Amino acid sequence: MSEDKPTTPYRGRLAPTPSGYLHEGHILTFRTAWERARENEGKLLFRMDDLDPNRCTAAYASACIEDMRGMGLDWDEGPDLGGASAPYEQSKRSSFYVDAMKKLYQLGLIYPCKKSRKDIRAHGLLDTTGNEYLYPESFRSSKTDIKNSEFPEMINWRFLTQAGKKVEFLDAKKAGQSFLVGKDLSDFLVWRKDGLVAYELATVVDDYLMGITEVVRGEDLLLSSARQCLL
């Protein structure tokens, strides 16, 4: 008896950041993503996550595509092939991120942040990993603290979290995952004062608009996945 196929067509993605050459971790992740898409008779998208102009270069982007082709990987949509979800370079998708920021603003889910990293470190609240400082609730400001002309550029914006809230999701390899707001994560950046969207927001916006049904990524991004679930 054949297994029932999912009603939603599978759509996976390859999303390298061209800030350097690919390493072994990239290769394992991308090959797994490719295998998952092909096993599920789905589509695989190639998206170039080139948000940061100071780190991402055309040379690294070209080398990335060449290396992935050399691995025997192929994709159905991407910057070199086009597709219904174009453009496939995040550097060309800023209008989508601004639209998302406007919606978050209207819902009261983001606020401007003028505190520095030094200010946050001085407060001394570390997350459960001991690697990142939590943003204190007492540092929160009102979205009315800025002028409309400043939105959203040239100022940090943070997503408003709820202390004590559990963020839970199912990981196909590591089973159920659970993170606690106020312990594992806190209010996080969605927009940077240099005028660039933060990784978490850009990823959520693009994965949603591109119809991605499964994300294959390294275990080091589990906490980031929790933030993306909140968004």
Side-chain angles (χ1 to χ4, degrees):
M1 179 181 296
S2 62
E3 295 182 359
D4 292 336
K5 292 185 178 180
T7 56
T8 302
Y10 186 100
R11 285 175 69 83
R13 47 87 156 165
L14 306 169
T17 298
S19 58
Y21 296 111
L22 298 183
H23 54 64
E24 185 178 1
H26 292 132
I27 293 171
L28 293 173
T29 300
F30 296 150
R31 179 166 293 281
T32 300
W34 177 80
E35 291 173 348
R36 289 288 297 166
R38 299 308 178 227
E39 288 170 359
N40 286 279
E41 300 179 2
K43 299 292 185 180
L44 185 64
L45 284 66
F46 187 116
R47 186 180 72 226
M48 196 69 75
D49 286 4
D50 57 347
L51 285 173
D52 193 338
N54 296 320
R55 298 173 56 240
C56 299
T57 69
Y60 285 138
S62 296
C64 178
I65 292 178
E66 182 179 349
D67 288 346
M68 293 175 76
R69 293 287 191 195
M71 290 165 53
L73 305 187
D74 61 345
W75 42 90
D76 304 290
E77 302 174 29
D80 55 336
L81 298 177
S85 298
Y88 293 91
E89 300 96 334
Q90 287 190 328
S91 59
K92 299 178 181 179
R93 298 178 60 83
S94 60
S95 63
F96 297 112
Y97 310 140
V98 173
D99 286 345
M101 286 290 292
K102 290 178 179 177
K103 291 178 182 178
L104 292 172
Y105 181 86
Q106 293 165 358
L107 292 169
L109 293 175
I110 59 174
Y111 62 89
C113 167
K114 296 186 178 180
K115 296 294 185 180
S116 66
R117 291 181 181 179
K118 183 178 180 181
D119 294 331
I120 300 170
R121 287 196 302 268
H123 208 269
L125 293 176
L126 282 169
D127 65 11
T128 50
T129 68
N131 296 322
E132 187 171 330
Y133 286 91
L134 298 170
Y135 193 82
E137 290 188 14
S138 60
F139 281 7
R140 290 174 176 171
S141 59
S142 168
K143 67 181 184 180
T144 59
D145 290 346
I146 67 160
K147 300 176 182 178
N148 288 335
S149 60
E150 294 178 303
F151 180 80
E153 297 183 355
M154 311 317 294
I155 192 169
N156 287 327
W157 284 83
R158 290 184 179 271
F159 182 81
L160 184 66
T161 60
Q162 182 180 345
K165 179 182 178 64
K166 284 186 177 180
V167 186
E168 299 177 320
F169 59 90
L170 180 65
D171 182 273
K173 182 179 180 181
K174 297 185 69 65
Q177 298 295 299
S178 180
F179 295 87
L180 185 64
V181 177
K183 295 292 185 180
D184 300 309
L185 69 154
S186 59
D187 297 359
F188 54 91
L189 288 176
V190 290
W191 194 271
R192 293 166 25 186
K193 63 183 180 181
D194 57 3
L196 293 176
V197 63
Y199 164 78
E200 272 83 4
L201 181 57
T203 298
V204 169
V205 169
D206 288 341
D207 284 349
Y208 173 76
L209 293 178
M210 294 178 177
I212 303 304
T213 62
E214 181 178 74
V215 174
V216 178
R217 42 87 181 103
E219 292 180 11
D220 58 320
L221 293 176
L222 282 172
L223 179 57
S224 183
S225 296
R227 298 190 185 104
Q228 292 171 26
C229 285
L230 286 175
L231 284 168

